[in-house]
Amino acid sequence: MEVADSDELGGDYVPLILTTMAEMKDTQRKLAVRTGISKSRLGALLHGDPGKRSTMTLPEFERILHALDMNLVHAYVCLKAFKDLDAYHRRCYSGVVFMLCDICVGAPQKMIPVLEALGGIDGTEVRHSWSPAFQNSFIKKVAEEIEAIHERRDRLSKLDDFHL
């Protein structure tokens, strides 16, 4: 297994937290109640000036994310996926990003029993290099399903006897 570069894992999650709070119309006071972290501690953790921030512990980070309906995977992927997107597009695509995160986190737990049920397969036959092909196939399938939904909606809207 490859270990990720520290630059890849590192990142400033505070802007993501603050943006999410703003989108939810959340305040530090409300977040303090939901996390159990004092308002003054949250103020120190989420300070706008990175040089003036206190160091956030992993349990604090997880509690903040949980209060914002996120987890570590969501935060990491959002940081990468939303890097160059404006607020409007972040809102548009956040549901997709969260869905994909949940699929990816849940897939290994479902894949292992499937491989074991095949008999004699312990996972060593599966290759990391297959990732791009699976990714492309998955995206193509999602696009096809969305197109099919649009076609069904179009057909329904064109029916003469369609009344609400």
Side-chain angles (χ1 to χ4, degrees), residues 7-131:
D7 285 346
E8 183 180 328
L9 292 176
D12 189 357
Y13 290 89
V14 172
L16 174 68
I17 292 168
L18 295 174
T19 300
T20 304
M21 287 174 63
E23 289 170 356
M24 295 174 74
K25 296 181 180 16
D26 227 343
T27 64
Q28 284 186 10
R29 178 169 277 129
K30 290 179 187 176
L31 191 61
V33 170
R34 289 199 318 273
T35 61
I37 301 170
S38 74
K39 185 179 172 294
S40 60
R41 175 73 178 151
L42 278 175
L45 295 174
L46 303 176
H47 197 287
D49 180 355
K52 295 182 180 179
R53 284 186 202 142
S54 294
T55 303
M56 190 180 306
T57 66
L58 184 57
E60 287 172 328
F61 186 45
E62 288 177 318
R63 285 164 52 192
I64 292 168
L65 292 176
H66 179 72
L68 298 173
D69 296 324
M70 296 175 77
N71 62 40
L72 293 169
V73 174
H74 295 144
Y76 175 75
V77 174
C78 284
L79 197 67
K80 300 302 177 187
F82 296 161
K83 181 175 56 175
D84 298 322
L85 293 181
D86 59 25
Y88 172 78
H89 286 98
R90 284 194 303 271
R91 280 191 303 276
C92 288
Y93 296 118
S94 64
V96 172
V97 170
F98 278 40
M99 177 199 67
L100 291 172
C101 289
D102 293 345
I103 288 170
C104 292
V105 167
Q109 192 175 17
K110 292 181 179 186
M111 180 62 88
I112 291 169
V114 169
L115 292 174
E116 287 180 355
L118 292 173
I121 296 179
D122 62 5
T124 58
E125 293 85 359
V126 177
R127 301 287 178 254
H128 183 255
S129 60
W130 297 351
S131 295

Side-chain angles (χ1 to χ4, degrees), residues 139-157:
I139 291 169
K140 181 179 176 186
K141 181 65 176 171
V142 169
E144 289 170 357
E145 291 300 320
I146 291 170
E147 285 177 358
I149 290 167
H150 284 227
E151 288 173 9
R152 283 193 300 273
R153 285 181 185 164
D154 286 345
R155 280 196 308 271
L156 282 173
S157 68

